[in-house]
Amino acid sequence: MCGIAGIIGFNDYDNQLKAKIEKMQTALKHRGPDDAGIYISTDKQAALAHTRLSILDLSAAGHQPMSTSDNRYHITFNGEIYNFQELRENLISQGEKFHSQTDTEVILKLYQRIGSDCVHHLRGMFAFAIWDDLEKTCFLARDPLGIKPLYYYQLGTTLVFASELRAVLASGLPAINMSVEGLYGYLTTGSVPEPYTLIADIHCLSAGNWLYWHNGNITKKQYWQINFTPEKISPPEAREIVRKALLDSIQHHFISDVPVGIFLSGGIDSTTILALATQTQQSQLSTYSIAFAESEFNEGELAEKIANHFGAKHTEYQVTSSFAKGILPDFLKAIDQPSIDGFNTFCVSKVAHDQGMKVVLSGLGGDEIFGGYQSFQKVPQMVSFSKNTKFLSLLRTGFGIGLANWGTSAKMKRFGDFLRHPPTFASAYRSFRGIFSHQEALTIVQQLLGESLIYQQQLDSNQNTPEDEVSFLELSRYMRNQLLRDSDVMSMNWGLELRVPFVDQALLEAVAPIPSNIRLQEGKKLLTQAITEIPDWVVNKPKKGFSFPFESWMDSEFGDYFQNSNIPLNISLTSWYRRWSLAIFKHWWESVRS
C-alpha cells in the first residue's frame, strides 16, 4: 500500500517539473513511510513519484517507480494483487525473469505482454500508472470495486494524477475552485460522488475504469461492472458458494510479508472474518477495537468476548470525549475530502498502528452484499408507495412539495423531494441515505458559490429485482464513495494498509448469481447460515450500526469546531450529521485555500 503521483506531458520551460513532482511526493509521505522514489524521463515528458509502505518483498528490490530491464516501461503502483504468485508462475513458464518477489513487477511484466488487458487478470485492490517511454503513452487503472482511489486533472496536453486530491493540488497546476456538482453531491449524500471531486476540473477515475494518455489526448474505458443476474441456485448450494468464496477471499487477503491483524467491531461481518481466519491461519490472530464510556454506543465487551471465543489476542482502546477532542485536529488534517464518516476508522487505525501493525482486515462490504441495511426493505417500499399513488399524481406532487418545504424533520424533507420526482430506486435511495434535501442543497450551493445547478434525474441500473437494485446502489455509492474512501485515507494516515475481504471481485462474482430472495434475506441469514462458527449471541443481537457519540460531543467537548455560519436561516441543523457535514466541509475548505 503506497502513494502514487505523476505529471505527464508537461512543457517544462522553466525547469519546474522536478520541484512539482517532489511537492506531490511530499504530500503523500504519510501513505508510504518506508521508502520513496521519483522517475523523470530523459525528455521530461513523464515524471512519476512513489511513497512506499513495505508489505511484500521488504527489500530494496521493491523500490518504486519500478522499470523493465530495457528501461521502456515504468510503473508507480498502490495496492495489493492477491493472485500475483499465480500470475508470476505463469509468466515464468512463458520465459519471463523476475528480479523481485513483488506484485508490482508482475503488473509491469503483464502490461509489457498484453497491454490494457492486464486489468482482467488482476485480483486485488489497485491504482497504478505505467509510462511507456518508447511510445510516449501513459496507462492508468483503478480496481473493479474502487477500493483504491485515483484522482486526475488535465490542462491542455498535461495530465496530473495522484492517490489523493491534496497531492494533485500540491503540483500547483489546478486552480482551487469549488466544483458545483461535487458540492451538491456532498450536501445530498454526505460524501463526494465519483467521478466528481470538490475541486472543479479534478476528477476521480471511476471504479473498474482505465485511462490512456497519448499526445495529450485521453481515452477512458470501463472494463468491469457489477451484475446481478440470478441463476437456479438452491439455499444449500448458496450457503456452500458463500462459504467457499469467503474462505478463498480471506486466504488471499492474508498474503503478506508482515503480520496481518483484524478490526473487530462486534458485528456479524468482522466476526465472520475472524471465524474463517482461524481456519486458514496457523498463528494466533490479533484483533483491534475501540470502546466508549457511553453505554448505548459501546460494543467493546462484545468484541472482547468474540476475540476470546476464537482465541485471538485482543487490543481495545476506550475513546473518551476528551481523547476525541485532543485527536480531532489531527483528524481534520488527515481529511483529503470531507464526509460525514471516517473518524471511527481514524481512531481504530491509530490503535493498530500504535501496536506496530502495518496490515489489517476489515468487515466492510458485508452489509452491501448480504442485505444488512434497512435500505433493502425501506427503499423498495418507498418506490412502491410512490408508484401506487401515481393516479393521484397532482396530489402526490403537492404533498411532496409541502413536505420538502415545511417538513418537520430532515427525513421528511428528503421524502418530500422523492415524491416530487418520478419514483426511481436511485431517487428513493438518495432520499433514504441523504443529508440535505435537493432544495436545501441547491440553496446552500447558491449561498456559498453564488451559482445554481440544473438537477438531472438519476436513472436506475436495471438490476433484476428491487433488492438487487438496492445492493447495486449500496455497493456503488455509499460503500464506494464514503466507506472505502474514508477507510483508505484514514488508515493510510497512520501508515496502515486496510484490506476488505468482502469487497473482492472473485467473491462478488461468485455470490452475485444467487437469487436475491436467498442472498438478501433480512438479517443476513444467508451469511450467518453459511458461517456456522458465528456464535448465536452474535447472530441474535439487535442490528446496530457502528457509530460514535458525536451528538453529545458536538454540544460539549467539540464546542467551537461546530459553530456554523453563513448558512441560510430556513435550513434546519438539528440533526447532528447536518452540523457535522457543514463543519467538516468548512474546516477542509479553509485548509485547502490557506
Side-chain angles (χ1 to χ4, degrees), residues 1-3 29-35 50-56 58 78-80 258 357-359 491-492 494-498:
M1 190 73 70
C2 310
K29 189 176 180 180
H30 57 281
R31 294 184 70 94
D34 297 332
D35 190 21
H50 191 265
T51 60
R52 185 184 184 202
L53 181 66
S54 304
I55 304 297
L56 295 171
L58 310 184
N78 168 35
E80 300 292 345
V258 297
M357 295 301 297
K358 292 177 79 172
V359 182
S491 61
M492 289 307 297
W494 298 106
L496 184 72
E497 175 174 296
L498 190 149

Side-chain angles (χ1 to χ4, degrees), residues 410-452:
K411 185 180 291 186
M412 293 306 291
K413 285 178 178 291
R414 296 195 306 270
F415 185 60
D417 264 350
F418 166 66
L419 291 177
R420 294 171 64 185
H421 296 102
T424 66
F425 283 93
S427 61
Y429 177 78
R430 188 188 68 173
S431 171
F432 180 82
R433 277 275 183 209
I435 307 300
F436 291 96
S437 72
H438 166 63
Q439 193 57 52
E440 288 173 323
L442 292 183
T443 303
I444 296 172
V445 168
Q446 180 71 34
Q447 176 88 6
L448 295 178
L449 303 183
E451 295 185 44
S452 58

Side-chain angles (χ1 to χ4, degrees), residues 355-507:
Q355 294 295 314
M357 295 301 297
K358 292 177 79 172
V359 182
V360 289
L361 305 188
S362 163
L364 191 159
D367 286 321
E368 290 80 357
I369 297 172
F370 295 106
Y373 296 130
Q374 284 190 344
S375 58
F376 285 91
Q377 291 79 46
K378 298 294 186 183
V379 169
Q381 288 171 8
M382 289 169 65
V383 174
S384 178
F385 172 81
S386 187
K387 285 181 176 178
N388 288 337
T389 58
K390 196 172 183 179
F391 66 96
L392 298 171
S393 58
L394 287 176
L395 181 62
R396 185 189 65 188
T397 303
F399 183 50
I401 291 172
L403 284 177
N405 290 327
W406 301 290
T408 56
S409 69
K411 185 180 291 186
M412 293 306 291
K413 285 178 178 291
R414 296 195 306 270
F415 185 60
D417 264 350
F418 166 66
L419 291 177
R420 294 171 64 185
H421 296 102
T424 66
F425 283 93
S427 61
Y429 177 78
R430 188 188 68 173
S431 171
F432 180 82
R433 277 275 183 209
I435 307 300
F436 291 96
S437 72
H438 166 63
Q439 193 57 52
E440 288 173 323
L442 292 183
T443 303
I444 296 172
V445 168
Q446 180 71 34
Q447 176 88 6
L448 295 178
L449 303 183
E451 295 185 44
S452 58
L453 178 72
I454 298 174
Y455 173 71
Q456 291 184 338
Q457 174 67 22
Q458 296 169 310
L459 300 176
D460 293 339
S461 64
N462 297 318
Q463 299 296 331
N464 285 277
T465 68
E467 292 74 22
D468 282 331
E469 191 72 47
V470 177
S471 188
F472 176 87
L473 290 164
E474 291 289 9
L475 287 162
S476 61
R477 299 198 181 170
Y478 177 57
M479 185 187 79
R480 184 180 300 166
N481 294 325
Q482 186 166 312
L483 299 182
L484 287 176
R485 195 177 298 160
D486 286 338
S487 293
D488 171 82
V489 170
M490 295 306 162
S491 61
M492 289 307 297
N493 178 78
W494 298 106
L496 184 72
E497 175 174 296
L498 190 149
R499 299 179 176 181
V500 279
F502 279 102
V503 191
D504 177 77
Q505 180 186 352
L507 168 68

Side-chain angles (χ1 to χ4, degrees), residues 1-4 25 35-39 48-53 56 59-67 74-79 102-105 107-108 127-129:
M1 190 73 70
C2 310
I4 67 172
Q25 183 188 56
D35 190 21
I38 286 176
Y39 161 81
L48 305 178
H50 191 265
T51 60
R52 185 184 184 202
L53 181 66
L56 295 171
S59 73
H63 178 79
Q64 290 189 52
M66 185 180 288
S67 307
H74 310 266
I75 185 172
T76 183
F77 161 58
N78 168 35
T102 65
D103 49 357
T104 308
E105 191 175 9
I107 300 173
L108 195 56
F128 64 84

Side-chain angles (χ1 to χ4, degrees), residues 206-225:
S206 296
N209 276 250
W210 56 250
L211 181 153
Y212 187 75
W213 180 96
H214 184 218
N215 286 335
N217 298 312
I218 282 178
T219 303
K220 284 185 290 183
K221 182 180 179 182
Q222 183 177 44
Y223 67 86
W224 191 86
Q225 179 60 287

Side-chain angles (χ1 to χ4, degrees), residues 323-340:
F323 170 82
K325 181 182 180 181
I327 205 173
L328 186 63
D330 293 329
F331 167 71
L332 293 173
K333 289 177 186 175
I335 293 170
D336 190 44
Q337 285 194 101
S339 87
I340 62 162

Side-chain angles (χ1 to χ4, degrees), residues 12 15 28 38 73 120 210 308 330 380 402 415 561 585:
D12 193 25
N15 294 317
L28 296 169
I38 286 176
Y73 297 101
H120 298 291
W210 56 250
N308 291 337
D330 293 329
F415 185 60
Y561 285 103
F585 169 78

